């Protein structure tokens, strides 16, 4: 599974990327991610802002689709309410 949270126009967050353990490393996560990115490219103008938080298991997959680390230019911040 995986989903997009966004404003429908400019800002999109890829969230909840998960493949059942017994089906991992078969291309499912990549197919889900490609489908989500295709959907964003269809709906949003070129240059739309797509972000995600990469846990270690997903990092290589995201990098393979062009996501880059923000490095020292930004830190993720979180608030539980
Ligand atoms: C991250 C996650 C969603 C990836 O899902 P997935 O279905 O395993 O993803 P894919 O199969 O498309 O790709 C994973 C790896 O398998 C490889 N792969 C894809 N098809 C393959 C095949 N037929 N044979 C062998 N390897 C294959 C990919 O090249 C990739 O390798 P890499 O990590 O060395 O780059 C999955 O590992 C997961 O659910 N992890 C636990 C939950 C989690 O941490 N989610 C949050 C991530 S931010």
């Amino acid at each position: 599974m995986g989903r997009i949270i966004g404003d429908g126009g400019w800002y999109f967050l890829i969230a909840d990327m998960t493949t059942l353990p017994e089906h991992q490393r078969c291309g499912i996560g990549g197919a889900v991610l490609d489908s989500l990115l295709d959907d964003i490219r269809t709906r949003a103008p070129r240059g739309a802002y797509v972000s995600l938080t990469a846990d270690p298991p997903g990092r290589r997959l995201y990098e393979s689709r062009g996501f880059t680390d923000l490095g020292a230019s930004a830190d993720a911040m979180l608030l539980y309410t």
Side-chain angles (χ1 to χ4, degrees):
M1 64 171 281
R3 64 184 174 132
I4 304 165
I5 303 166
D7 66 356
W10 192 245
Y11 289 101
F12 300 89
L13 171 70
I14 305 280
D16 298 333
M17 285 288 297
T18 307
T19 300
L20 287 171
E22 60 269 34
H23 297 299
Q24 290 177 7
R25 302 192 68 83
C26 297
I28 295 172
V32 169
L33 182 58
D34 288 343
S35 173
L36 296 177
L37 294 175
D38 283 349
D39 187 70
I40 292 170
R41 290 186 180 109
T42 300
R43 294 167 185 266
R46 192 171 171 80
Y49 190 90
V50 185
S51 64
L52 55 77
T53 300
D55 291 334
R59 176 167 286 272
R60 285 173 56 96
L61 176 61
Y62 304 136
E63 287 174 344
S64 75
R65 293 333 193 254
F67 284 87
T68 56
D69 202 320
L70 288 172
S73 65
D75 289 325
M77 298 181 74
L78 180 64
L79 172 69
Y80 288 112
T81 60

